[in-house]
Amino acid sequence: MIAPSWMTDDVVLFRDNVRKVFEREFAPLEERWRREHLADRSVWRQAGEMGLLCTSIPQAYGGAGGTFAHEAVVAYEQGRALVNSFSINVHSGIVAHYLLAYGSEVQKQRWLPKMATGELVAAIAMSEPGAGSDLQAVRTSARRDGDDYVIEGAKTFITNGHHADLVCVVVKTDAARGAKGVSLLMVETAGLPGFRRGRLLEKIGQHGQDTAELFFDGVRVPAANLLGDEEGQGFRQLMQQLARERLLIAIGAVAMMQRAIDETLAYVAQRQVFGEPLLALQNTRFKLAECQTEATITQTFVDACIARQLDGTLDVPTAAMAKWSSTDKLGRIVDECLQLHGGYGYMTEYPIARLYADVRVLRILGGANEVMKELIARSMERNA
Ligand SMILES: Cc1cc2nc3c(=O)[nH]c(=O)nc-3n(C[C@H](O)[C@H](O)[C@H](O)COP(=O)(O)OP(=O)(O)OC[C@H]3O[C@@H](n4cnc5c(N)ncnc54)[C@H](O)[C@@H]3O)c2cc1C
């Protein structure tokens, strides 16, 4: 495949190194993590030492001082290696960038260097039992009391939730003001009275990922942990960061599509049916040709989005297009590829079976695909 324009020589070198790390260090551990429903905590330190965390955070805050291209490489290689038991996207791609964009100097100096080493693991807690797509409906409240906020509420489906030491929590600081009453509060969880983690949630896929419920029962955090200069900025802050978050999901989707196709090509080349390789059948050849065409078209679009993210012109509707179309196509490609594996495709020891279960959620999280289409339609309406 042609190297995209954003893949400069230093990014290629970085990619080769990242690929080795995921393939050699982490991929062999996935099976155990899936069995144990949790990655080892030490993996975060290891990822920090190997330069996988906070790649696009400035060196002044402990990051690697790279660009979105470096982050894109990490997202791609993590997807390609099928290592999804710890979310670097949430940690580095989302929370670190909220801090960089909206944090005070003190907040940045306090948290970013430790996130870059993996000493602190970060999570973002938006979703609640009664509010997912509709974030204005969040009920977790933060009431100002002297120099503190007091948080009451519960969050669910939180990625990295079990290991997280630093959680960016979406709260209502003013329940009467709708979106304008939403704020982001950074919560350090270590030994925090009133903070409790619920069970690790049982999922149909991504079995090694520590997706958890979080409970806040009169939790006190310093008022200085608010992100931004004043209350009520949370909704705007969330909206501003969504394009890059969704693009990261699309990059992972492209990587997993290609992995699904590569796995299937290798399988059908050796599997014998009716005295010849499965690959010799016209149906197999056409299905794979269709899948590769779809994957190449998607990758080309996502590469263009990466280039736009790098030059600061990626907008919300275009990122929404990348998110919904890539995850939708990924689902269809993985399904076709599983079919070509026959019964073996249904056995979890085969990567295609794990992919089948793991990727389903990508059409739901990060904004459901229907929400993506709504965003695109709204921008079309504005231009009509
Ligand atoms: C494995 C996993 C990891 C997650 N990680 C995190 C995390 O780290 N942090 C976090 O905060 N959340 C996380 N989530 C939550 C995720 O973001 C939500 O599940 C998602 O936003 C959808 O919200 P919901 O589940 O409440 O569904 P609902 O909002 O109830 O929506 C249900 C369905 O309704 C449809 N729908 C919703 N809105 C619209 C609309 N406007 N137009 C048309 N149809 C619509 C869609 O089909 C949608 O799937 C995670 C979820 C999962 C499953």
Side-chain angles (χ1 to χ4, degrees), residues 124-127 132-133 157-159 203 361 364-366 368 370-371:
I124 180 143
M126 301 182 267
S127 306
S133 305
F157 302 146
I158 306 308
T159 300
K203 308 184 291 294
V361 75
I364 298 169
L365 56 65
E370 292 80 0
V371 175

Side-chain angles (χ1 to χ4, degrees), residues 90 123-135 155-160 203 206 209 211 361 363-371 374 378:
V90 164
I124 180 143
M126 301 182 267
S127 306
E128 301 183 357
S133 305
D134 180 9
L135 279 179
K155 297 288 179 180
T156 193
F157 302 146
I158 306 308
T159 300
N160 297 342
K203 308 184 291 294
Q206 301 204 356
Q209 173 57 249
T211 314
V361 75
R363 284 145 66 188
I364 298 169
L365 56 65
N369 282 4
E370 292 80 0
V371 175
E374 188 53 41
R378 260 186 243 160

Side-chain angles (χ1 to χ4, degrees), residues 101-290:
Y102 312 115
S104 65
E105 193 56 28
V106 173
Q107 289 173 337
K108 289 187 226 185
Q109 294 288 359
R110 180 174 173 87
W111 293 313
L112 286 172
K114 288 183 181 167
M115 286 176 67
T117 59
E119 193 179 330
L120 285 182
V121 175
I124 180 143
M126 301 182 267
S127 306
E128 301 183 357
S133 305
D134 180 9
L135 279 179
Q136 291 190 41
V138 296
R139 297 183 61 168
T140 298
S141 64
R143 176 178 50 82
R144 185 74 188 252
D145 183 28
D147 287 339
D148 293 337
Y149 280 105
V150 182
I151 310 176
E152 299 280 352
K155 297 288 179 180
T156 193
F157 302 146
I158 306 308
T159 300
N160 297 342
H162 181 83
H163 284 314
D165 316 282
L166 182 66
V167 186
C168 177
V169 186
V170 178
V171 293
K172 276 272 170 73
T173 36
D174 186 345
R177 296 195 69 212
K180 293 201 168 118
V182 174
S183 302
L184 303 182
L185 263 183
M186 300 304 297
V187 175
E188 291 173 287
T189 61
L192 186 64
F195 172 75
R196 188 166 60 81
R197 299 175 210 268
R199 65 205 161 95
L200 283 173
L201 299 169
E202 292 277 346
K203 308 184 291 294
I204 62 173
Q206 301 204 356
H207 292 301
Q209 173 57 249
D210 55 322
T211 314
E213 298 166 310
L214 305 179
F215 299 99
F216 303 84
D217 185 8
V219 167
R220 275 186 179 271
V221 298
N225 284 18
L226 183 75
L227 272 192
D229 298 336
E230 52 179 357
E231 292 177 4
Q233 300 297 305
F235 206 74
R236 185 184 54 82
Q237 292 165 338
L238 288 166
M239 295 304 125
Q240 281 172 351
Q241 296 294 321
L242 285 176
R244 73 193 313 287
E245 294 169 25
R246 288 173 178 156
L247 180 54
L248 285 169
I249 295 174
I251 293 165
V254 166
M256 287 185 274
M257 270 176 215
Q258 197 54 55
R259 177 69 189 261
I261 295 167
D262 294 347
E263 287 290 330
T264 309
L265 189 58
Y267 180 80
V268 297
Q270 57 77 37
R271 177 71 177 169
Q272 297 289 311
V273 287
F274 304 107
E276 59 181 352
L278 187 47
L279 180 55
L281 299 182
Q282 191 188 54
N283 176 66
T284 310
R285 304 170 72 76
F286 282 13
K287 286 289 179 204
L288 281 173
E290 286 166 15

